[in-house]
Amino acid sequence: MCCGQKRSGLGNSQMQRTMRPAPQSISSNNHARGFQPQITAPVSMPSASVSITYQESSPIRVRGPVSGRFYEFSGSRPVQQVDARDASSLLNTRFFRRA
């Protein structure tokens, strides 16, 4: 074996060590097992709104449990439009009623 062949052989062996197969996609691997990824951010989709009235006078800020939207109520602004998906949870408290 002459010097030139050793250099080319050395280059090939180094390249083989550094090249790795591409990792599989996590979603495709998990999808095959029946795993469904969880959505961490609220999804903004148009939906119906409901007018609800705040029964107190002190200002509050509430977050809709389904939409993730924030609603601000006070004695000066007691009536607000709320995503219909959030309304039932708010109406189940003593602080709100349908407008």
Side-chain angles (χ1 to χ4, degrees), residues 45-97:
M45 295 166 66
S47 73
S49 62
V50 176
S51 281
I52 64 172
T53 302
Y54 176 54
Q55 305 268 50
E56 302 290 322
S57 58
S58 58
I60 63 166
R61 184 177 188 202
V62 295
R63 184 176 184 178
V66 177
S67 72
R69 290 185 52 204
F70 287 97
Y71 305 103
E72 294 182 11
F73 295 89
S74 66
S76 62
R77 293 190 58 208
V79 180
Q80 299 288 325
Q81 293 291 322
V82 174
D83 189 308
R85 300 172 297 168
D86 296 329
S88 63
S89 295
L90 297 175
L91 292 170
N92 284 332
T93 69
R94 66 179 181 86
F95 301 104
F96 301 96
R97 67 174 170 80

Side-chain angles (χ1 to χ4, degrees), residues 24-46:
Q24 290 182 343
S25 169
I26 293 172
S27 62
S28 66
N29 191 17
N30 289 332
H31 183 67
R33 294 183 192 144
F35 176 79
Q36 295 296 322
Q38 292 184 345
I39 299 172
T40 57
V43 177
S44 296
M45 295 166 66

